[in-house]
Amino acid sequence: MILHEQDNEVVVIRQTDHALLSGFFAREWGNDVFQRPEPFESFRLAAAEHDNGWQEWEVQPEIDSATFLPYSFMSIPTEKHMALYQHALERILKVDHYAALLVSMHVAGLYDRTRATMPGFSAKYVRSHESTMVNDFVQRLKLQQLRLKVDLRANPATKMFTEEKFLQANVQRLEALDRLSLYFCLPTLGDSTIENVPVDYEGGEADWELRRETPESITVAPYPFRREPLAVSILARRVPKRHYADDVDFQNALALAPYAPIKFHLRRGKASIQSLLVGAD
């Protein structure tokens, strides 16, 4: 669940809706500068479904006793956070092993301590006493990734895409789309940069420079999508900003809040020379 305060309200966006926006961006990726991700349908699925484990929790969200507001994607207890993503992986595994591999690699990255304090990254802050539990979970993810690679390499249709250059570029793309979608969900983020976005599978990269021209108009440079402008919307609900007594109190308030789309237009911006030269020889 993604939360931000606005006036006397709390704007609530579901993780699953944020992920669907990532999937929309994945569908649009590709132009003369940015090579389309391959295998394309598996990549689209990974982007759109990487947070689907939140689905049931967001029907009955729980309150953080420290804030009297619901847990956000960053504040939810670590053990529950791991269980949500384990559930997501189990779902995706039933549909597409390559998509599951990308999501497993993405999930492992959520527990990277170096990302936990970086604005725009969906990293999970891990307390020191949770380190052993988290390390065990990450090791299980890595074993899962090894098994998936073995299966995918046995299939001629997917063997090539298990090469390290494909996997790393696709995971970097997934993370870039995750951050881009979060940027639309968190208007408190000002002008931002998403670094090291793959341009191709040969090591070329660029930094996306995001600028808020108006509250409804955002530019990105260099521009990675096949259409311009892109009309973007994401569903949100607004609840009163107050202390909620318990889970049921908040759940009742959320159930009464109507969904409304927050709309944006994404356009091509003017890239700096530096952003265009990342990864160049």
Side-chain angles (χ1 to χ4, degrees):
M1 187 164 277
I2 301 167
L3 310 170
H4 69 268
E5 297 179 6
Q6 194 172 74
D7 301 324
N8 293 317
E9 296 179 312
V10 177
V11 180
V12 179
I13 297 174
R14 294 179 299 190
Q15 288 292 132
T16 46
D17 288 326
H18 143 70
L20 287 175
L21 181 56
S22 299
F24 168 76
F25 287 135
R27 186 189 73 186
E28 297 295 325
W29 188 307
N31 55 28
D32 291 344
V33 175
F34 286 84
Q35 185 177 348
R36 193 177 81 159
E38 299 293 348
F40 187 56
E41 294 303 325
S42 295
F43 180 82
R44 283 178 55 187
L45 180 66
E49 298 294 333
H50 72 273
D51 279 343
N52 74 34
W54 287 83
Q55 182 175 322
E56 289 80 9
W57 186 90
E58 290 181 322
V59 174
Q60 295 182 301
E62 299 167 2
I63 291 298
D64 184 345
S65 60
T67 64
F68 300 97
L69 288 171
Y71 288 110
S72 73
F73 70 100
M74 295 184 72
S75 66
I76 193 168
T78 300
E79 190 169 4
K80 188 171 291 290
H81 188 269
M82 292 189 298
L84 293 175
Y85 280 101
Q86 182 61 48
H87 189 34
L89 283 165
E90 289 167 1
R91 282 179 165 157
I92 299 169
L93 271 167
K94 296 176 182 178
V95 181
D96 187 310
H97 279 196
Y98 193 85
L101 176 58
L102 295 182
V103 173
S104 180
M105 295 172 72
H106 170 71
V107 171
L110 297 180
Y111 299 97
D112 183 345
R113 284 180 177 272
T114 62
R115 297 179 8 154
T117 58
M118 296 175 67
F121 263 112
S122 56
K124 181 72 178 74
Y125 177 76
V126 176
R127 293 175 172 83
S128 57
H129 71 273
E130 298 172 326
S131 294
T132 299
M133 175 177 65
V134 169
N135 289 339
D136 288 345
F137 179 59
V138 171
Q139 288 306 310
R140 292 198 301 272
L141 290 175
K142 290 182 177 179
L143 287 173
Q144 178 189 57
Q145 292 160 23
L146 287 173
R147 291 193 294 268
L148 286 169
K149 287 177 185 179
V150 170
D151 291 344
L152 290 162
R153 286 167 182 160
N155 183 346
T158 54
K159 180 179 179 180
M160 178 177 69
F161 302 114
T162 63
E163 293 178 18
E164 202 61 23
K165 68 176 184 179
F166 279 94
L167 284 174
Q168 291 305 317
N170 283 337
V171 171
Q172 285 178 254
R173 288 180 170 100
L174 180 57
E175 296 207 349
L177 293 183
D178 185 40
R179 291 185 66 189
L180 181 63
S181 178
L182 283 173
Y183 186 78
F184 284 85
C185 298
L186 293 169
T188 53
L189 294 175
D191 293 349
S192 298
T193 301
I194 299 177
E195 304 87 355
N196 307 120
V197 183
V199 171
D200 51 35
Y201 288 107
E202 304 305 323
E205 296 178 342
D207 290 346
W208 284 347
E209 296 176 353
L210 304 176
R211 303 288 180 264
R212 293 188 187 272
E213 302 294 321
T214 70
E216 295 81 27
S217 180
I218 293 171
T219 65
V220 58
Y223 192 78
F225 302 117
R226 63 190 177 103
R227 292 187 295 158
E228 185 200 2
L230 280 184
V232 178
S233 67
I234 189 161
L235 290 175
R237 285 177 286 180
R238 296 173 183 269
V239 297
K241 180 185 173 183
R242 65 175 175 85
H243 282 191
Y244 289 91
D246 53 27
D247 297 347
V248 174
D249 185 21
F250 179 78
Q251 290 165 13
N252 288 338
L254 190 63
L256 293 173
Y259 287 96
I262 303 175
K263 298 181 179 181
F264 304 91
H265 283 89
L266 184 62
R267 293 182 168 84
R268 186 186 309 270
K270 184 177 181 181
S272 69
I273 293 175
Q274 181 179 359
S275 73
L276 290 170
L277 291 179
V278 174
D281 292 332

